[in-house]
Structures are given as structure tokens and as C-alpha cells.
Amino acid sequence: MTVRSRILILVSAVAVLVAVGVASVLHASARAERRDHVQAGGPKVTSGTVTLTGHGRMVFRNMAWGPHRDELTRVPESDPAGARTASGVKCLRFYAASGTGVCLQAVHGPVSDTYRALILDARLHTRDRYDVPGIPSRARVSPTGHFAAWTAFVGGDSYAGTNFSTRTAIADTRTGELIPSLEAFRIVKDGHPYRATDVNFWGVTFAADDRTFYATLATEGRTYLVRGDLRTRTVTAVHANVECPSLSPDGTRVAYKKRVKGLSKDAPWHLYVLDLRTMRETALAEPRSVDDQAVWKDARTIVYALPGDYGADLYQVPADGSGRARRISTAAVSPAYLP
Amino acid sequence: MYVADSRASKAPVSAEGAARYAVAGRRRAAVAPTVLALGAVSLVTDVSSEMVTAVLPLYLVTGLGLSPLGFGLLDGIYNGFSALVRLVGGHLADRGGGRHKWVAGLGYGISALCKPLLLVAQTLTPIGLILAADRTGKGLRTAPRDALISLASTPENRGRAFGVHRAMDTAGALLGPLVAFLILRATVDGYDAVFTVSFCVAVLGVLVLVLFVPGGRQEAGGGDGARPTLRAAVGLLRGRDLRRIAVCALLLGLATVSDSFVYLLLQRRLGVPDRWFALLPLGTAAAFLLLAMPLGRLADRVGRWAVFLAGHGALLVAYALLLTSWHGTALPYVVLALHGGFYAATDGVLMAAASEGVPEALRSSGLAVVQTGQALARFACSLLFGTAWTLWGDRAALAGAAGALLVCAVFSVVVRPKGAVAV
């Protein structure tokens, strides 16, 4: 083959490949156009004032298409599928309690995205900013509003690796003091101090005493529920196979994801509630695999997200294992209830 | 890319195999067109693969809503498998009198085909399998590609040839994430566009290889009577020079702490802010890119082994800086520059040094043996280092690694192979 024909082949191939590439990018950016338009039949969203001090409301990240996509939005707790009021503040993950919010958001830089955690006051103004070292995954505020915690996925630095670790941070919202990683805490497991490099923490949930918290500890391929103490900086393993715990308002029970044997590796979790006094596990009436840190709407009801047409929908199920799951809201994620 | 084309157009591309014209009597350009073409292939392929690597975590977490934890269990098993693939690739490439180009092409092709598969995989298990296939392609092509570079260059300028190739390769690795994020920025959830463009780029890489890298069959046995059998490949280690190089590479690999640990230590010991953590590998890559060519030329002048060892010296200094309690603002930059310099002085230079002790007919097999030994040793080191970190903490583990590196380096100075070119 002559050099000329080689170059000719290359040039024509490049033309075809460029066309395919450009077409795929254009197709994906047309999606942006579509998502900026309100879907027919979707929830009605209007701009307005959202505060974290109201009563009988739910504040969440709105995922419905249109100009208010990804914004913090409020609805009446009694009518979660009703008209939505959007705040203009965009978050990937969100939680709030006692007039303090935590909002994990992406910062679009010139070459890549970075992430940060904002501590919000009751009027959604930023009080504090922290860098988040990876892709945000979980966020919580203590019942008093004095502490906030978040988890990020960090990793994937080997060639096409899918090896992740998590980094969980806790911030004191009054002083601004940050614990960058729970891995600095002492670990007690089976009554002995425990150390390992493969330790990961995720999914903090706080008790009302501003001292106790619960979280998931993963090591050697297993997960544990740990009880943490902010004063002594210690975590103690109390139960095995617990992920993304969520402490009930009275502090006696934990709703969590449990890895159930026999389920597929891609959807291995079921929702359970653990009674912390008797250590009894109760399976909840949600047959699907849930990958979320659930929220207690009240002492009897658990709310959580499942994948939906617009990203995620919210469902609720009784906390005692009775009844059945029902959808309460479409195109919504990261709910926080303002009682 | 275009440089490679225009050079290639002047080169006598024929079925006799460009591998042979390296020894043509006339004075040629310092870097053979074949090397530039291979550099272009690697640059383009790395753009493609790093595009995927850069967006994969995001895609798994935000695109598919998965919690990608506990997924690293495959890695250990996979490392052993990938070593085997590398040796097989090297051996196959030598069979039948030099099929380097076609084995390398197969490797590039497999990796290219993995990209569109990512569009249809929605769960972790198939994604894991696709990534394993992608890395199998990478393992398959590495030794034949390096053999082609070494066969296309003369012993006097081999260091530079490898330097040019590694610089182009790293340039691709730096460009990939940039392209990926530009696409994500221009779209909404444009992961499908990233994978599609990545596939197109990968196909381009395979095309450049097929069209512009000469690789016809040469006469079997490149005049040195070696026959490319498995026995001969194993027998290579009986040659003193190659054996010494392989043993030294293996020993030094045992004391080379993996990149991710280096970045973690940088963050923990020097307090690099979280927001810069993701950019640390770019620092290493930038230094590697800038230094690969000059250090390759230096290796041609003063001897490959000297530069190879000096590279490990740079790594040792980087470890030492991480161990000191001195905290200057410049320190992270210095450590990353030394880390990149270590790669620039060792990665291609080792291949140039190993080429000396291997007959042409067994070039791929010989290089594969050295690469595999080094890769397995580094994997063992990361396991050991992780354990040491657990037992004694990061500082003690790093001190141990530094001590081991010093011992292995001294050993390598003593048993220095004789094959170094004196100019």
C-alpha cells in the first residue's frame, strides 16, 4: 500500500470517527435542552422562600426537569406530591435539623469538578464551607443542629480501577471545627482496640446528646454498626452487617441497609430496623433493594429513595415491619422533615 | 500524530519489516518514524483510556447510583492474571518471526472494543469484567510495543527513543481527563458521549498502528540463532546481563511504594488540602512528561544503568522528604517532581537497558519477563506496605520502604550489568 493511500484511509476514517463523536456529544447536550423544560404532568415548581424553621414541612432536592432542577425545595408534609417551592440553592445531597442545614454541592472548575459542603443557616445562607475530597454520598445534621457529617467516595486512581474508599467528616457547626476523617478515631471491636489500613467509615447518624453518633465501619470485607463518642473520639462496634444507619427520633432504634444472602451482588440490600436494647432485627415491608440512608419521618415511619424516571423517587414504609411501601413523591431525593 | 504521518511518508515502509532498517547504513533521524508512530498510537490510546478512568467513579456513583465499595477484591487475583497475560503477549509476539505488530494490535483492539460495552453495562459485575478485559488488552500489548520501539532504534539512541515514546504516552494520559470533563461540561450526564468519543479515539489509535507501524514478517532468527520457543524465552534468564537486570528490577520493585500510597502520604504528612488531592497524580505525570526525553538522552550518553539507579535515588529523596518534619509550601511540588523524575529515569530506560541482553528474535519475551517481574514485585510491595502501615503506622512503613530501597539500590550498583553502551 502506498503512503498516499494510507493517509487517505486515515483521513476518511478520522472524518467518520469525528462525525460519530460529535453526534454523540450533540445528542447528550440536547438532553440538557430537554431537561430545562418542564415535563408535562410533572410536579409544579415555583420560586419562593424556603426556610429551615417552618413546621410540618419537608425540604428536599428537587429532581423534576425544568429551571429548578437540583434546587432545595419545600412541600407541605401532609401533601408531599403537591406544589413545590424552590429556593435557588442547588445541592447533590442535603439534610437539616433545628434550623441548620448541610448541603453537598459540586463546584464546576475549568478542568474537573470539585466538591464542597456548605453549612446553611435557617434562611439557607452559607455559614461555613468545607472541601469535600470526593464524590458526595451521605449527609446528616445532629438533632440539635450543632454537628454536621458527610461522606464522600474517594479513589479510583489506579488504571481503570474501581477500588474506592470513603472519607467521613464531622463538623461542629458552632465553632467551625472539623474532624476531617473518622479514621482518626480509636476503634474498639470485640472488646479490643482494632487497627487496620482498610478501615472505611460512612453514613453517620447523630443522637440528641451532642456526643453519641452511629455509623458504618467497614474492614476486611465486613461491615459493622459502630457507636461513636465525640468526646473520647472512640467508636465501638456493636452489631455486624449494618450500612447507612439512621437513628430513630427517640434514639432506641436504627433503620439501616442489610446485605441479604442470596440477593444479586448489584442489589444486595434490604431495609431493616434494629432495636438497640434487644438487638432484634426487623425486616421492613420493602421488597426492593434500597441504597440510601433512610430518614425517620416520625417515630413510626421510614422514608427513603429508590431509583426513578428522573433519578429518584421517595417512598415510605412503617418502621415495625407491617404494612407495605408506597410512593409519596416523584423526582425527589435527600428529604429532611421539619417537625 | 501528523508529525508521525509526515515522517512515516518518507520512511521505507515495506513488508521487509522496519525492524531491520534500524541497522541500515545511512544516517537516519535520531528517532525512527516507527517510534513516533507508536508514540502517536500510545498518545491517542491513553487519551481514550484516561477519559474513561477519569469519569468512571462519577459514572458509578452519580450516573448509576451505585455504592462501589468492596469492589477491590478482584484486584489481587487480577494482578496475577495480568502478569500471565503479559508473558503470553511477549511470547506470541516473538513466535513466527516477529508478530509484534499484530499482537500489539490485538491488545489495542480488545481495549477499544471495551469502550462501547460500557454504554450497555448498568451494574457493577459486568463493568468489572469489562475493565478486566480492558486491562487484559493493555497487558497483551505492552511487551510487543516496547519490543517494536527497541527494534526500530539503534543501541546508541534507544534511551531517547523510549523517552520520546513515554513522553507522548504521558501527554495522552494528561489530555484524556481534560477531554472527558469538557464533554461532561457541554452535556448533561454525558457519560454516553464520553464513552462513545473514547471508543472513536481508541479506534483511531488502532488504525494508526495498522497503517503506520511497519510489522511484516522478518526472517526468523535475527542472525543470532535464537529461536522463539518457550524454552528459549525461559533460557533468556541464563544470560548474565538480562538476569541481573531482571533481578535488580524485581528487587527495586519490592521497595517501590505504589502511587496511591505516595499521594496519601503526601496528604497526611504534608497536609495537602483535600481539594488538591485529585490533582496530585497530574503533578507526577507532568514531571514524567517533561523529563522523559532529556533523561532518555542522558541514559544514552552516560549509561542506562546509571540513570536507572539515579531515578531510584530520586525516589529515595522523595521518601526522605516525606519522612522529615520539614513543612515548606514547595515541598509537595518537590516530591511530585522527584516522583515524576523517578518514572522518567526508570520506565523507558529499563526497557532500553533490558534490550541489550536480549536477541532480536526473543525481544518481546525478554522485555515481558523484566516487566512482569517488576510489576509483581510492586504489587507485593503494596501488600507489604499496607500491612506495615496497619501494624506500625505510615511513618514507620515508609521508613522501612526507604531502607529497603537503599539496600536494593546498593545491591544494584554492585551487580551492575555490563551491557551499558559507552559513547
Side-chain angles (χ1 to χ4, degrees):
Chain A
M1 209 190 312
T2 63
V3 172
R4 171 175 295 211
S5 50
R6 282 165 208 265
I7 290 180
L8 207 62
I9 292 172
L10 184 75
V11 170
S12 10
V14 167
V16 172
L17 293 170
V18 166
V20 172
V22 168
S24 73
V25 173
L26 288 177
H27 172 75
S29 49
R31 202 178 296 145
E33 294 285 296
R34 283 201 306 279
R35 297 214 175 163
D36 283 342
H37 293 296
V38 180
Q39 285 291 103
K44 192 169 177 302
V45 192
T46 49
S47 281
T49 314
V50 175
T51 61
L52 300 178
T53 46
H55 290 291
R57 296 206 180 121
M58 175 175 88
V59 179
F60 60 97
R61 170 186 166 195
N62 166 48
M63 297 184 87
W65 291 2
H68 302 292
R69 212 167 147 252
D70 299 333
E71 289 179 13
L72 292 184
T73 307
R74 73 174 154 83
V75 290
E77 192 185 313
S78 53
D79 184 20
R84 301 179 176 187
T85 307
S87 65
V89 179
K90 290 195 175 192
C91 303
L92 297 166
R93 294 274 176 183
F94 165 77
Y95 195 75
S98 296
T100 303
V102 62
C103 164
L104 305 182
Q105 52 179 212
V107 184
H108 298 306
V111 288
S112 72
D113 285 358
T114 53
Y115 301 92
R116 64 185 180 193
L118 306 181
I119 306 298
L120 306 174
D121 66 13
R123 291 165 56 216
L124 300 189
H125 294 308
T126 303
R127 281 173 39 191
D128 247 324
R129 269 194 187 86
Y130 301 93
D131 285 333
V132 175
I135 303 157
S137 135
R138 308 285 173 221
R140 278 294 189 267
V141 175
S142 67
T144 56
H146 294 162
F147 289 95
W150 53 87
T151 299
F153 288 114
V154 184
D157 53 3
S158 56
Y159 176 82
T162 47
N163 221 343
F164 281 83
S165 57
T166 56
R167 202 82 62 79
T168 294
I170 296 180
D172 185 327
T173 61
R174 294 161 302 179
T175 63
E177 190 199 353
L178 178 76
I179 298 163
S181 172
L182 272 187
E183 285 161 48
F185 278 41
R186 278 195 309 279
I187 303 169
V188 177
K189 188 163 143 311
D190 307 323
H192 304 289
Y194 178 82
R195 289 181 61 175
T197 42
D198 72 347
V199 161
N200 281 298
F201 288 97
W202 64 88
V204 167
T205 180
F206 293 97
D209 61 2
D210 273 350
R211 175 174 178 177
T212 309
F213 66 91
Y214 290 86
T216 294
L217 155 74
T219 180
E220 293 169 334
R222 308 164 74 97
T223 60
Y224 302 88
L225 176 70
V226 290
R227 180 187 293 115
D229 186 330
L230 287 169
R231 213 164 301 167
T232 61
R233 302 221 160 182
T234 307
V235 298
T236 309
V238 294
H239 198 68
N241 195 1
V242 173
E243 293 179 62
C244 299
S246 174
L247 193 63
S248 62
D250 63 1
T252 61
R253 289 159 298 158
V254 162
Y256 66 101
K257 292 163 27 183
K258 179 180 174 178
R259 230 170 246 272
V260 178
K261 278 203 181 68
L263 290 183
S264 89
K265 277 210 326 232
D266 310 313
W269 297 289
H270 269 224
L271 275 183
Y272 277 75
V273 167
L274 175 74
D275 186 314
L276 292 169
R277 288 166 302 194
T278 63
M279 286 297 164
R280 250 194 51 204
E281 297 177 358
T282 307
L284 301 190
E286 167 57 79
R288 289 160 293 188
S289 176
V290 174
D291 183 5
D292 191 18
Q293 185 172 20
V295 168
W296 292 76
K297 180 177 160 187
D298 51 45
R300 295 186 315 275
T301 318
I302 308 280
V303 174
Y304 51 95
L306 279 172
D309 293 343
Y310 305 101
D313 299 333
L314 293 178
Y315 292 78
Q316 70 174 41
V317 72
D320 60 3
S322 67
R324 57 191 194 85
R326 65 185 183 87
R327 185 161 67 182
I328 55 171
S329 190
T330 56
V333 76
S334 278
Y337 286 90
L338 313 177
Chain B
M1 179 66 251
Y2 300 106
V3 179
D5 295 348
S6 57
R7 290 293 188 87
S9 64
K10 293 193 190 73
V13 178
S14 69
E16 270 112 73
R20 308 300 309 147
Y21 74 70
V23 287
R26 65 196 174 79
R27 196 89 185 95
R28 293 175 313 100
V31 176
T34 302
V35 174
L36 290 175
L38 282 166
V41 173
S42 289
L43 187 150
V44 168
T45 303
D46 258 48
V47 168
S48 160
S49 61
E50 291 301 320
M51 276 175 77
V52 172
T53 307
V55 304
L56 201 69
L58 260 176
Y59 176 63
L60 292 177
V61 177
T62 57
L64 298 178
L66 299 169
S67 294
L69 280 165
F71 199 62
L73 299 173
L74 274 172
D75 274 10
I77 305 160
Y78 190 80
N79 264 300
F81 176 65
S82 134
L84 191 72
V85 166
R86 213 184 274 257
L87 291 171
V88 167
H91 175 67
L92 285 179
D94 284 333
R95 288 270 299 271
R99 296 192 195 130
H100 307 286
K101 176 179 170 176
W102 303 112
V103 175
L106 180 68
Y108 284 112
I110 290 173
S111 292
L113 289 176
C114 288
K115 308 296 188 279
L117 289 178
L118 282 170
L119 288 168
V120 291
Q122 298 286 327
T123 52
L124 275 181
T125 315
I127 289 174
L129 289 171
I130 292 166
L131 294 178
D134 192 340
R135 286 201 284 181
T136 304
K138 189 181 166 72
L140 210 52
R141 69 187 179 238
T142 310
R145 182 201 64 201
D146 283 347
L148 281 169
I149 296 170
S150 111
L151 292 169
S153 49
T154 56
E156 295 76 39
N157 65 19
R158 208 163 265 153
R160 182 204 278 198
F162 274 104
V164 167
H165 174 269
R166 294 303 193 262
M168 291 174 85
D169 188 78
T170 312
L174 280 168
L175 280 171
L178 202 65
V179 174
F181 278 107
L182 284 176
I183 293 173
L184 282 187
R185 187 73 68 246
T187 58
V188 170
D189 297 343
Y191 302 104
D192 52 341
V194 172
F195 297 149
T196 308
V197 172
S198 165
F199 171 63
C200 293
V201 174
V203 170
L204 180 66
V206 176
L207 262 177
V208 173
L209 177 87
V210 170
L211 291 173
F212 296 100
V213 174
R217 286 161 165 268
Q218 35 179 129
E219 295 306 308
D224 36 34
R227 299 251 335 271
T229 59
L230 273 177
R231 183 180 302 180
V234 175
L236 280 173
L237 289 173
R238 281 201 289 275
R240 208 177 60 166
D241 276 355
L242 187 73
R243 187 175 65 232
R244 287 186 168 182
I245 288 178
V247 167
C248 291
L250 191 134
L251 282 174
L252 289 163
L254 278 174
T256 304
V257 176
S258 82
D259 292 3
S260 40
F261 279 126
V262 170
Y263 303 135
L264 269 177
L265 285 161
L266 257 174
Q267 198 187 16
R268 289 173 63 127
R269 305 226 56 94
L270 303 182
V272 174
D274 273 346
R275 129 188 65 157
W276 301 115
F277 187 72
L279 298 176
L280 294 177
L282 297 182
T284 300
F288 185 8
L289 170 71
L290 292 172
L291 294 170
M293 253 189 297
L295 289 178
R297 290 187 65 172
L298 187 70
D300 287 338
R301 289 222 189 93
V302 304
R304 270 134 216 169
W305 206 241
V307 172
F308 181 71
L309 289 175
H312 285 86
L315 186 65
L316 197 57
V317 175
Y319 289 176
L321 286 176
L322 286 170
L323 283 169
T324 57
S325 43
W326 173 54
H327 283 254
T329 39
L331 202 51
Y333 297 100
V334 176
V335 170
L336 289 175
L338 286 166
H339 195 227
F342 155 73
Y343 278 113
T346 55
D347 195 67
V349 172
L350 176 66
M351 290 298 106
S355 298
E356 304 295 326
V358 186
E360 286 190 10
L362 289 167
R363 192 61 54 87
S364 277
S365 316
L367 297 186
V369 166
V370 176
Q371 286 170 352
T372 307
Q374 187 184 45
L376 287 177
R378 283 183 181 175
F379 178 60
C381 174
S382 67
L383 293 180
L384 287 170
F385 192 82
T387 310
W389 185 320
T390 303
L391 293 175
W392 305 305
D394 58 354
R395 205 185 171 99
L398 186 63
L405 185 60
L406 189 63
V407 171
C408 296
V410 169
F411 174 83
S412 305
V413 170
V414 174
V415 304
R416 166 170 91 244
K418 298 262 184 309
V421 178
V423 178

